[in-house]
Amino acid sequence: MAHALACFHCGEPVEDGACFLANVGGRSEPTCCIGCKAAAEWIHSLGLADYYRLREQPAERALRTVDFSAWDRPQLQRLYVRELDDGIGETVVLIEGMRCAACSWLIERAMNGAAGISELLINPAAKRLHITWRRDATTLSQILARLARLGYTPHPLDAQSLDALALHESRSAMKRLTVAGLGMMQSMTYAVALYAGAFEGMDPVTRDFFRWLGLLVTTPVVFYAAQPFFVGALRELRARTLGMDTMIAAAVGLIYLASMYETIRGGLQVYFDSASMFVFFLLAGRYLEMRARYKASDIVDALARLQPALAQRRGAGDALETVGVHELETGDIVVIDNGAAIPADGTLCSASCEVDESLLTGESTARLRHAGDDLVAGSIARTGPVEIRVTRIGAQTVLSGIVRLISRAYAQRPRAALLGDRIAAHFVAGVLVLAVLTAVAWSVLDPAHAFAAALSVLVVSCPCAFALSVPIAHLRAAASLARMGVLIPKTDALEKLAHFDRIAFDKTGTLTEHRLELTQINTCATLSADECLRIAQALEETSSHLFARAVREAARDMAGAKKTACNARTVVGAGIEGEIDGRRYRIGRSDFAAPDRDTAHSETDDVTLADETRILARFQFRETLRADASAAVDALRTQQVEPTILSGDSQARVAALAARLNIAAYRARLTPADKLHALQELRAGGHVVAMVGDGVNDAPVLAGADVAIALAAGAPLAQSNADIVLTCDRLDTIPASRTIAQRTLRILRQNLYWAAVYNFTGIPLAALGYIPPWLAAIGMSTSSLLVVLNSLRIAPAKTSATAGDGTSSTYPIVATA
């Protein structure tokens, strides 16, 4: 009868007269629609028929025709696709229908063989797929259509999809935990009566009554609440491997079946309370693990929600029009109301604005931005309305880059976690053998205790603590660092971050800001310093040079009438000349401003102002030191980390900066190859070396360091070679991050040490009969909970520290190891 059949691909009922037979390995398998038929035959044609053996749940019903051409439209791609170098595209999508590890297995093998795909990173827990592809070989719509043929539907990474997935998982986990909790409380109540009756002489009828009640309340715990463990065990067995779920399912199943058998025949002992307690504590541990994972992924989800869907664009005649963010173009003027989110990266056109960048940078206080400063999409305008000129849109914004970095990190597993999985697999096999040997030994010595002893060995030695110790610690560390504005794209960077003892800084843009500071005006004629500054401001009014910006900054608050230059002309590499009040002036290099009167030129930061007959003044500048650079260097010294400066700038400038920071070791006029050689010398001396940079020329140097640290405001090429990216653009997060990394490794060692001591102590005691099953369940669950709770200590204590620029931070500026 056709109506009794289930679809081979998705498991849905096949209706009468609507059966499509798929040819799978020479067999005719029933499917419910042409889409599922095509998906099943295609999966088999790819040599991936093992998917149907490995999966733990049926696939989603395949769609017959899906049009993904909209993903190729420029307006949509600007929001979700990042353009990399050499025609490479990159995006992150949510995958509907991804249910288990077999889904990940299928997607990896089916998609990696497709033309044009450079890299696929899958995070099954978060249901996210990170795709990198060559645009000249394929399109995004073709990639997503191939994914849809497998029965998985891709969605943009937006707030609605994120909320729906998180809500479903959280509700399901809470329902199972509630059922297990209620069943545990009831079964323990009946167990207390049975244990008391054993000593007081309970009659058989009353005893059997309480046992049947125990069976009644434990049945939904085993068949509903514990379902994920049985499904996981089935998946592991199909994949021909042993894992934590196999041992849990074996223990729970044996407890339940043995207790039911004893209840039916009126035997001596039942363990319904142990089964319910075992399942409840396991689910509680997994729920805490899920919450910890949410706290880590909440950073990504919250960032994804920051970018608004609409924007107010100034159109023709200065009229405001509400448009979608995808309609914005580079150069558009956008108006942001007070308290509204900034829709795209841009340059501030208004005079000033206070901007809240707390979620992006970890700064708890709004920062004051001036006209010409860059603003980041997702930031909140605390004073408004203000106007910005759009510079980057959608996937090209800093916000989207941060989301991709975190998503990529969460899709990768650290080496320690992979090693823990292999240890756990061998451990499970050993424990199963030991449980059998325990049962055999007790069958000879005292058959009445054989089952209880073997069961106790299984329960007490469940490797939950081993399995949880590494991922929970790493997730917690990643979440803590992300809240500080520190991202770790490479998961194995934590260990190196904790151990580096030398740190090399690039100078320009890393220890200094991309601006100069006017420090002194030396007048050479009768004009005052203020009068010379007004003349210089007029000449430099339209220049974008760093010297010009410093002059305008210094003259911003000057009283008196502002001068205007006429017929100004810029001489590239030399300076500017123009007329002010009928007199001609020049400002710039000495040999340009006064070629016949002063040809002296040094490599110090000085600018000469002259008229047609004489030198009027010399302006002295210096590089602006980052407000937090001194605190960061001092904190690193406190941690026994020696700093050095590797710069391509002149000897005088590097020496002056090193003196301001009290750094004894520095090198100047270095090429990238010279910097790389300097790092190799430090590493050859047995040191673990970190390198901090921000420019394109820093990329090869970062690749040669043990720990590569890039600033988020720097070049994308530098970030791509980085182990750590500072989205907060603050150097004082480096010592704080090192402290968190050290604390993470210390807690990770504690977790592993505790798991080892507990198992190697508890297993012999259980095998000898000193630990009953109910106590084994409490011990195992307590061990797992202790690991989770211990990992939650990784979050740093929030302290309020004020940096030199007046902003405050919610992390320790100086932290000891």
Side-chain angles (χ1 to χ4, degrees):
M1 297 174 60
H3 66 275
L5 296 177
C7 178
F8 176 72
H9 180 72
C10 71
E12 292 188 8
V14 177
E15 297 179 1
D16 290 329
C19 180
F20 297 86
L21 295 178
N23 184 5
V24 180
R27 302 186 313 273
S28 294
E29 300 289 355
T31 58
C32 62
C33 64
I34 191 65
C36 285
K37 175 181 181 294
E41 291 178 344
W42 188 57
I43 290 172
H44 182 268
S45 69
L46 294 173
L48 301 176
D50 274 353
Y51 161 71
Y52 293 104
R53 178 176 59 83
L54 296 173
R55 65 179 181 178
E56 63 185 46
Q57 293 186 38
E60 289 288 312
R61 183 169 185 168
L63 300 178
R64 182 174 182 180
T65 58
V66 182
D67 183 12
F68 292 100
S69 60
W71 285 81
D72 294 331
R73 295 177 183 172
Q75 295 87 347
L76 191 63
Q77 291 217 347
R78 285 188 304 174
L79 289 179
Y80 300 110
V81 178
R82 182 191 179 201
E83 296 288 342
L84 303 180
D85 297 333
D86 300 326
I88 301 294
E90 180 186 36
T91 190
V92 179
V93 294
L94 283 173
I95 304 299
E96 180 184 350
M98 184 183 291
R99 299 174 180 270
C100 61
C103 297
S104 176
W105 178 90
L106 174 63
I107 292 173
E108 283 181 351
R109 283 155 180 79
M111 301 295 289
N112 275 325
I117 295 181
S118 303
E119 184 182 39
L120 279 178
L121 292 173
I122 304 174
N123 185 348
K127 297 177 174 57
R128 290 173 190 164
L129 177 63
H130 182 281
I131 310 171
T132 306
W133 75 98
R134 300 193 311 276
R135 289 187 170 275
D136 60 347
T138 188
T139 64
L140 180 57
S141 62
Q142 291 174 335
I143 295 173
L144 300 182
R146 186 180 180 91
L147 184 65
R149 288 183 65 186
L150 297 172
Y152 304 99
T153 306
H155 297 283
L157 188 62
D158 56 24
Q160 183 178 2
S161 300
L162 291 168
D163 291 341
L165 288 171
L167 183 62
H168 174 74
E169 184 179 12
S170 181
R171 282 182 173 176
S172 177
M174 181 54 69
K175 285 191 291 186
R176 296 183 191 279
L177 184 61
T178 301
V179 170
L182 292 174
M184 179 188 69
M185 289 187 291
Q186 291 298 318
S187 62
M188 288 184 67
T189 301
Y190 306 142
V192 169
L194 289 172
Y195 293 144
F199 293 101
E200 299 296 330
M202 179 182 292
D203 64 275
V205 175
T206 305
R207 181 200 64 188
D208 291 343
F209 173 72
F210 280 115
R211 286 184 176 182
W212 282 104
L213 287 177
L215 174 62
L216 179 65
V217 299
T218 305
T219 297
V221 174
V222 172
F223 286 95
Y224 174 72
Q227 183 186 23
F229 303 119
F230 290 102
V231 171
L234 184 60
R235 182 189 68 240
E236 290 171 353
L237 293 176
R238 284 176 173 174
R240 299 181 180 91
T241 185
L242 293 176
M244 183 174 63
D245 285 344
T246 301
M247 185 176 293
I248 294 173
V252 173
L254 285 174
I255 294 174
Y256 179 78
L257 293 176
S259 300
M260 182 172 64
Y261 175 73
E262 291 294 303
T263 299
I264 293 173
R265 79 180 188 93
L268 295 176
Q269 187 64 273
V270 294
Y271 307 98
F272 292 123
D273 55 327
S274 298
S276 300
M277 191 183 304
F278 189 36
V279 172
F280 173 77
F281 282 117
L282 282 169
L283 290 175
R286 289 202 173 183
Y287 185 80
L288 287 176
E289 178 190 1
M290 181 189 69
R291 298 306 306 173
R293 174 163 48 84
Y294 277 169
K295 284 188 177 182
S297 60
D298 274 351
I299 299 297
V300 185
D301 298 352
L303 289 172
R305 293 185 181 94
L306 282 180
Q307 186 164 343
L310 302 175
Q312 293 187 29
R313 181 173 62 187
R314 192 169 293 285
D318 285 342
L320 289 180
E321 56 178 348
T322 301
V323 298
V325 173
H326 66 279
E327 298 180 65
L328 294 177
E329 300 285 349
T330 301
D332 284 350
I333 301 298
V334 176
V335 178
I336 299 106
D337 292 331
N338 183 27
I342 297 172
D345 289 357
T347 303
L348 182 62
C349 299
S350 303
S352 63
C353 175
E354 287 189 352
V355 181
D356 181 1
E357 302 174 348
S358 56
L359 195 56
L360 291 168
T361 66
E363 301 287 351
S364 62
T365 304
R367 305 190 70 174
L368 182 62
R369 301 295 189 184
H370 299 287
D373 288 346
D374 293 329
L375 300 183
V376 178
S379 305
I380 306 298
R382 291 304 180 196
T383 55
V386 295
E387 294 186 352
I388 68 167
R389 186 180 301 276
V390 175
T391 57
R392 287 185 297 269
I393 307 165
Q396 305 302 320
T397 62
V398 173
L399 173 64
S400 295
I402 293 172
V403 171
R404 281 190 301 273
L405 284 173
I406 301 180
S407 298
R408 183 185 182 91
Y410 287 175
Q412 297 174 331
R413 300 197 69 198
R415 288 191 299 267
L418 297 175
L419 178 61
D421 289 345
R422 290 194 296 269
I423 293 175
H426 294 297
F427 182 76
V428 168
V431 168
L432 291 175
V433 172
L434 182 60
V436 173
L437 294 177
T438 301
V440 171
W442 276 101
S443 297
V444 176
L445 299 175
D446 187 355
H449 290 83
F451 179 77
L455 191 60
S456 296
V457 169
L458 279 178
V459 173
V460 80
S461 60
C462 184
C464 297
F466 276 120
L468 290 173
S469 57
V470 175
I472 286 294
H474 275 267
L475 279 172
R476 189 62 177 172
S480 300
L481 291 172
R483 285 184 173 85
M484 289 169 43
V486 179
L487 304 184
I488 304 183
K490 300 178 182 178
T491 53
D492 291 316
L494 267 178
E495 184 175 356
K496 294 185 289 186
L497 177 62
H499 292 146
F500 75 85
D501 60 349
R502 293 290 186 274
I503 186 167
F505 292 96
D506 177 48
K507 182 181 74 70
T508 305
T510 301
L511 290 172
T512 65
E513 298 182 2
H514 288 285
R515 63 187 179 93
L516 297 174
E517 178 185 359
L518 177 61
T519 58
Q520 190 174 354
I521 303 175
N522 298 319
T523 59
C524 304
T526 57
L527 294 180
S528 67
D530 286 350
E531 186 68 17
C532 291
L533 183 57
R534 287 192 181 93
I535 295 172
Q537 178 194 24
L539 293 171
E540 302 277 19
E541 187 64 34
T542 59
S543 175
S544 60
H545 196 280
L546 292 178
F547 291 115
R549 294 179 184 177
V551 167
R552 292 196 298 268
E553 181 73 20
R556 176 182 296 174
D557 299 325
M558 288 185 61
K562 184 178 179 181
K563 294 182 178 293
T564 302
C566 301
N567 301 321
R569 182 176 69 92
T570 300
V571 180
V572 178
I576 300 176
E577 61 179 353
E579 294 181 6
I580 301 175
D581 298 333
R583 194 175 186 86
R584 193 153 197 84
Y585 295 92
R586 284 185 173 186
I587 187 170
R589 291 169 42 145
S590 295
D591 56 357
F592 165 77
D596 300 328
R597 292 169 291 282
D598 188 355
T599 58
H601 178 68
S602 71
E603 63 180 11
T604 59
D605 295 315
D606 69 307
V607 171
T608 300
L609 174 67
D611 61 12
E612 297 170 322
T613 62
R614 58 184 174 168
I615 295 175
L616 302 179
R618 297 185 194 277
F619 297 85
Q620 297 291 330
F621 299 86
R622 72 175 182 180
E623 292 176 298
T624 303
L625 190 67
R626 282 185 179 269
D628 59 332
S630 181
V633 170
D634 291 342
L636 288 166
R637 285 200 188 94
T638 302
Q639 298 181 356
Q640 308 302 313
V641 176
E642 288 299 321
T644 186
I645 300 176
L646 302 178
S647 175
D649 210 342
S650 65
Q651 180 74 19
R653 292 171 181 166
V654 177
L657 185 70
R660 292 171 68 184
L661 292 172
N662 195 26
I663 296 178
Y666 61 89
R667 298 188 189 183
R669 295 195 179 281
L670 299 181
T671 64
D674 295 332
K675 294 180 182 180
L676 190 58
H677 181 68
L679 292 181
Q680 291 170 347
E681 288 180 350
L682 289 172
R683 296 177 69 185
H687 299 294
V688 180
V689 183
M691 175 71 194
V692 189
D694 76 325
V696 172
N697 62 334
D698 293 325
V701 187
L702 291 173
D706 294 301
V707 186
I709 304 174
L711 303 180
L717 185 58
Q719 297 178 24
S720 66
N721 287 278
D723 299 301
I724 297 166
V725 177
L726 306 181
T727 63
C728 58
D729 246 18
R730 297 184 64 101
L731 298 178
D732 51 11
T733 56
I734 297 176
S737 300
R738 186 172 181 269
T739 299
I740 289 179
Q742 291 175 330
R743 186 181 304 168
T744 300
L745 295 185
R746 186 166 57 249
I747 287 177
L748 184 56
R749 286 192 295 268
Q750 292 172 359
N751 289 347
L752 293 174
Y753 179 77
W754 163 252
V757 170
Y758 164 78
N759 279 284
F760 289 112
T761 301
I763 290 175
L765 293 176
L768 294 173
Y770 292 110
I771 299 179
W774 64 269
L775 184 58
I778 294 177
M780 183 284 307
S781 303
T782 303
S783 174
S784 301
L785 289 174
L786 284 176
V787 165
V788 173
L789 294 176
N790 192 40
S791 298
L792 296 180
R793 298 193 303 114
I794 292 174
K798 291 188 177 181
T799 59
S800 180
T802 303
D805 61 354
T807 61
S808 64
S809 308
T810 56
Y811 48 86
I813 296 296
V814 178
T816 57

